[in-house]
Amino acid sequence: MRNNSKTVSLIAVKTALIFISITLLTTCGGQQEKSNESASKTSATPEYTENGAIKLVVNSDDLMRFDKEELRVTAGAKVELTLNHTGKLAKAVMGHNVVILKEGTDVAAFAQKAIEAKENDYIPESDDILIHTALIGGGETTMITFEAPDKGSYEFLCSFPGHWGLMRGKFIVE
Ligand SMILES: [Cu+2]
């Protein structure tokens, strides 16, 4: 009888160990996936659409963030830029767009001017804008195509009031 109960408890211990090992393996795998997700903040390796345009995808969220700090294209190339809003908040409270400004534009001054253009989704009348997407809310997506300008380093931002401090990056044309 004693031997039997020892065997039973040994089996119980083994089962517990196997369970712990599986849990550890699963947890490690999950963490690896997460680090892969946040790895790329630039568009260094160009992707192309079926039409041969450079495909740029920028994701934005309810925490006022773009997932890209840098976008890279080549001068004169056809570019397709997609903006996704993965959040839930409405356009009126957490609207996002992508505005690319001409070289040498004072970003702070432009953002200030944009605040006054509420009726035009915060796109002010200005010569400083190279291109811009539509303003979208949570769950929405928008896309524009355009021809990349001359070589240079351009600034992009979200022109919704108060967002450009966090939501901005470089648009680099090589
Ligand atoms: Cu925004």
Side-chain angles (χ1 to χ4, degrees):
M1 283 297 273
R2 280 215 171 144
N3 272 350
N4 261 355
S5 67
K6 263 189 186 167
T7 314
V8 168
S9 59
L10 206 65
I11 289 172
V13 169
K14 275 186 181 170
T15 313
L17 280 175
I18 289 169
F19 180 74
I20 290 168
S21 315
I22 290 172
T23 314
L24 281 174
L25 280 173
T26 320
T27 316
C28 289
Q31 273 170 354
Q32 213 161 13
E33 263 170 39
K34 259 185 203 165
S35 67
N36 281 348
E37 254 174 44
S38 60
S40 171
K41 285 207 162 193
T42 77
S43 66
T45 318
E47 277 186 60
Y48 294 90
T49 67
E50 280 177 15
N51 300 327
I54 296 176
K55 189 176 184 174
L56 300 176
V57 178
V58 178
N59 298 302
S60 58
D61 59 21
D62 284 344
L63 299 173
M64 241 190 270
R65 303 261 177 195
F66 285 137
D67 71 338
K68 301 281 192 307
E69 293 169 345
E70 194 182 286
L71 300 171
R72 278 178 186 271
V73 299
T74 43
K78 210 200 271 182
V79 180
E80 182 189 285
L81 169 65
T82 301
L83 171 66
N84 297 315
H85 190 322
T86 59
K88 290 194 169 72
L89 296 173
K91 183 170 103 167
V93 290
M94 189 52 73
H96 299 316
N97 60 13
V98 171
V99 181
I100 301 178
L101 299 172
K102 287 185 184 162
E103 268 189 307
T105 301
D106 182 337
V107 183
F110 176 84
Q112 187 58 39
K113 218 191 305 181
I115 294 174
E116 291 150 28
K118 188 183 179 191
E119 76 291 342
N120 196 35
D121 279 353
Y122 304 107
I123 298 297
E125 246 183 68
S126 166
D127 293 333
D128 298 330
I129 299 171
L130 203 64
I131 59 100
H132 71 86
T133 70
L135 187 73
I136 57 171
E140 295 179 330
T141 184
T142 186
M143 190 193 84
I144 48 163
T145 54
F146 59 96
E147 194 177 296
D150 294 340
K151 283 183 190 183
S153 178
Y154 303 77
E155 304 261 2
F156 72 87
L157 74 152
C158 171
S159 71
F160 192 95
H163 287 197
W164 73 281
L166 287 172
M167 302 186 79
R168 64 186 293 194
K170 296 267 185 225
F171 178 75
I172 294 166
V173 185
E174 297 169 308

